[in-house]
Amino acid sequence: MNTERPINPRFDDDLHFNLVKPGPPRYQTRTEKPVRYFEVADRENGLVLGYVWAGDEDDAAAWEPRQAAGPRGLMEGLGWFNRLEKAKGRGIRPSQAIEEMLAEPATGKFGRALPDSLTDAPNAAAVKALAKGD
């Protein structure tokens, strides 16, 4: 009696791997290098919803929601993140991306960029600490 099992035809062919195409280009979301950032405030009551920051040295930029803004800060980030993704797709530096955002401040779902709030921070962690602590 033969104890060998028949080969399943699915496993008889060579193994093939399909490469998954990476997503759209994105800026780095962390940096220890200096960054510039601005506030995004609610259009109606002026509550700061979060911060958009950017640093050219590490090709980094991101949205940092303000903890005190709660879910609205998180929701607001979708629009700003989308704008950053599109800017990276066009191949522009992070600093240019935030300059464009400041030139067109009222494009968020709930908020608008505050051009007079543009300032420097030592790194992205400082902006994150600001968002958590105020």
Side-chain angles (χ1 to χ4, degrees):
M1 175 181 241
N2 188 352
T3 60
E4 289 184 36
R5 294 182 180 173
I7 296 175
N8 185 331
R10 291 184 311 156
F11 301 121
D12 198 21
D13 293 332
D14 288 337
L15 196 57
H16 295 280
F17 291 97
N18 293 326
L19 294 176
V20 177
K21 186 177 177 183
R26 293 190 174 115
Y27 296 115
Q28 299 295 316
T29 56
R30 295 177 8 171
T31 181
E32 293 301 317
K33 305 283 179 21
V35 298
R36 300 200 82 199
Y37 70 94
F38 62 84
E39 296 176 347
V40 174
D42 185 279
R43 292 180 193 168
E44 294 177 12
N45 62 18
L47 171 74
V48 175
L49 300 172
Y51 307 92
V52 177
W53 62 262
D56 287 343
E57 287 186 59
D58 283 339
D59 195 38
W63 163 260
E64 191 60 51
R66 184 170 171 243
Q67 189 171 1
R72 290 193 62 203
L74 292 172
M75 290 295 296
E76 180 67 18
L78 297 174
W80 296 101
F81 177 79
N82 187 32
R83 289 185 71 186
L84 288 169
E85 193 173 82
K86 286 179 180 178
K88 177 65 176 175
R90 292 193 332 265
I92 66 172
R93 293 188 333 247
S95 61
Q96 291 174 298
I98 65 171
E99 287 171 12
E100 285 182 359
M101 292 177 185
L102 289 170
E104 219 178 297
T107 57
K109 181 171 179 153
F110 303 111
R112 63 183 182 85
L114 300 178
D116 294 340
S117 68
L118 183 63
T119 191
D120 299 317
N123 53 40
V127 180
K128 185 181 251 333
L130 176 67
K132 284 185 178 179
D134 55 10

